[in-house]
């Protein structure tokens, strides 16, 4: 079949026209996509800095939370810009959004424990049941707070052991904060023989507390009989001191009480002698 030159030329011209139209169309789409990317990147950076600065003006707002929320705003804008750029090239954005939602749901189910820790970390940073440097006890976990993160909290125990506790563990249990109120009450109890003068022992303990500068004067320290035994009397000294001086004051007053009791002739009963072993009795 002979080729018609005129039809061939017309076909080529039509194809070139369509190609040029397509190139022009995609060129404008590409230019629009580049503009969207640049503008979106700038807007995301401005939003991040604005949110960080705005939250920074809120007194007591944690720096970790400020960084977290500003980053979320930045990435949310960048994801929205990416979807708009794909829409410039005719991609069905509805299906992309549905796919992102499905992926997010799958990731959320797979990282359920991690997301719980993040949510608990946000609540801990927002409500502040404890702060860095404070001593706490949560269930079997006890120590001084070194760092509060979004996933876990770092603690150091009194004997120098490092603990990394998941935030969900700390959030889901009652927190005992030994440092928050600034002051703590302490009781020192010593057993003396029942033949000793109880009033004299109480006055001795009160004199020791009165001479200690770390003991608070209000409320005033008190001395009282804690328990009565067959041949012993337990005398207790109750006083208040700052949370930072709690342990040092307790150990110093206990030592001083023993020394003063010895000086005053107030005797501490000795334990009864152990019974001899059956072999020793036979000998």
């Amino acid at each position: 079949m002979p080729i018609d030159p005129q039809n061939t030329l017309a076909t080529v011209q039509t194809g070139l026209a369509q190609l040029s139209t397509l190139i022009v169309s995609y060129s404008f789409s590409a230019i629009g996509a580049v503009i969207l990317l640049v503008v979106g990147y700038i807007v995301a950076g401005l939003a991040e800095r604005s949110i960080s600065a705005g939250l920074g003006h809120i007194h007591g707002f944690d720096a970790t939370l400020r960084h977290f929320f500003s980053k979320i705003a930045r990435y949310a804008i960048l994801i929205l810009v990416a979807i708009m750029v794909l829409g410039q090239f005719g991609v069905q954005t509805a299906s992309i959004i549905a796919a992102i939602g499905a992926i997010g749901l799958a990731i959320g189910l797979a990282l359920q424990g991690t997301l719980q820790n993040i949510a608990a970390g946000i609540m801990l940073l927002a409500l502040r049941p404890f702060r860095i440097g404070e001593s706490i006890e949560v269930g079997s976990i006890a120590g001084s707070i070194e760092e509060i993160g979004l996933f876990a909290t770092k603690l150091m125990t009194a004997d120098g052991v490092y603990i990394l506790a998941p935030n969900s563990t700390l959030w889901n249990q009652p927190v005992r904060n030994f440092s928050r109120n600034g002051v703590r009450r302490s009781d020192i109890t010593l057993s003396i023989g029942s033949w000793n003068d109880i009033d004299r022992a109480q006055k001795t303990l009160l004199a020791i507390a009165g001479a200690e500068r770390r003991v608070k004067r209000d409320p005033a320290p008190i001395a009282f009989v804690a328990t009565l035994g067959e041949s012993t009397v337990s005398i207790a000294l109750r006083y208040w001191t700052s949370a930072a001086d709690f342990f040092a004051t307790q150990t110093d007053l206990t030592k001083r009480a023993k020394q003063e009791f010895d000086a005053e002739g107030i005797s501490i009963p000795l334990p009864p002698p152990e019974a001899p072993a059956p072999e020793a009795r036979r000998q």
Side-chain angles (χ1 to χ4, degrees):
M1 184 177 184
I3 299 175
D4 189 353
Q6 293 182 349
N7 290 337
T8 303
L9 182 60
T11 303
V12 172
Q13 289 176 344
T14 302
L16 291 175
Q18 293 176 349
L19 181 61
S20 61
T21 302
L22 187 64
I23 291 174
V24 171
S25 176
Y26 271 96
S27 297
F28 281 112
S29 297
I31 294 173
V34 171
I35 294 174
L36 276 175
L37 285 174
V38 173
V39 173
Y41 184 82
I42 295 174
V43 170
L46 290 175
E48 179 184 7
R49 289 190 292 271
S50 299
I51 292 174
S52 180
L55 296 177
H57 291 149
I58 301 176
H59 178 70
F61 200 88
D62 190 83
T64 304
L65 276 183
R66 186 171 74 244
H67 179 76
F68 177 72
F69 287 130
S70 61
K71 285 296 183 183
I72 283 182
R74 174 185 176 86
Y75 291 130
I77 293 174
L78 291 177
I79 290 173
L80 180 61
V81 169
I83 294 174
M84 294 173 63
V85 168
L86 293 175
Q88 285 289 108
F89 294 100
V91 178
Q92 295 295 325
T93 56
S95 59
I96 295 176
I97 294 174
I100 291 175
I103 294 172
L105 178 60
I107 294 175
L109 293 175
L111 301 176
Q112 186 175 4
T114 302
L115 295 178
Q116 286 180 353
N117 287 326
I118 293 176
I122 293 174
M123 297 304 296
L124 291 175
L125 290 169
L127 298 181
R128 299 278 191 155
F130 46 77
R131 295 183 175 89
I132 294 175
E134 293 183 337
S135 297
I136 68 165
E137 180 180 333
V138 183
S140 61
I141 301 172
S144 177
I145 302 296
E146 290 199 330
E147 181 182 339
I148 306 172
L150 283 176
F151 298 95
T153 296
K154 298 178 182 178
L155 302 94
M156 185 70 69
T157 65
D159 54 349
V161 178
Y162 169 85
I163 296 178
L164 183 66
N167 286 334
S168 58
T169 302
L170 301 179
W171 175 249
N172 292 324
Q173 299 185 69
V175 176
R176 298 183 65 195
N177 192 324
F178 300 108
S179 307
R180 178 59 54 88
N181 292 333
V183 293
R184 289 186 63 182
R185 193 194 78 188
S186 178
D187 289 355
I188 295 176
T189 304
L190 292 92
S191 294
I192 63 175
S194 57
W195 56 87
N196 290 283
D197 188 343
I198 297 177
D199 291 334
R200 187 178 180 184
Q202 290 178 326
K203 289 179 181 178
T204 301
L205 290 178
L206 289 176
I208 295 170
E212 175 56 59
R213 60 177 181 80
R214 292 170 293 185
V215 173
K216 301 292 183 183
R217 301 297 178 257
D218 185 21
I222 59 173
F224 57 93
V225 176
T227 58
L228 294 173
E230 293 183 359
S231 60
T232 62
V233 178
S234 295
I235 306 295
L237 172 66
R238 176 170 293 173
Y239 62 92
W240 289 80
T241 185
S242 65
D245 295 331
F246 178 81
F247 291 107
T249 305
Q250 188 179 65
T251 54
D252 289 346
L253 288 183
T254 302
K255 177 182 178 181
R256 202 168 303 155
K258 174 63 170 64
Q259 293 172 339
E260 291 297 325
F261 277 9
D262 291 344
E264 293 288 336
I266 302 172
S267 59
I268 297 176
L270 298 175
E274 296 183 359
E279 293 80 3
R281 287 200 299 268
R282 283 197 297 268
Q283 293 176 0

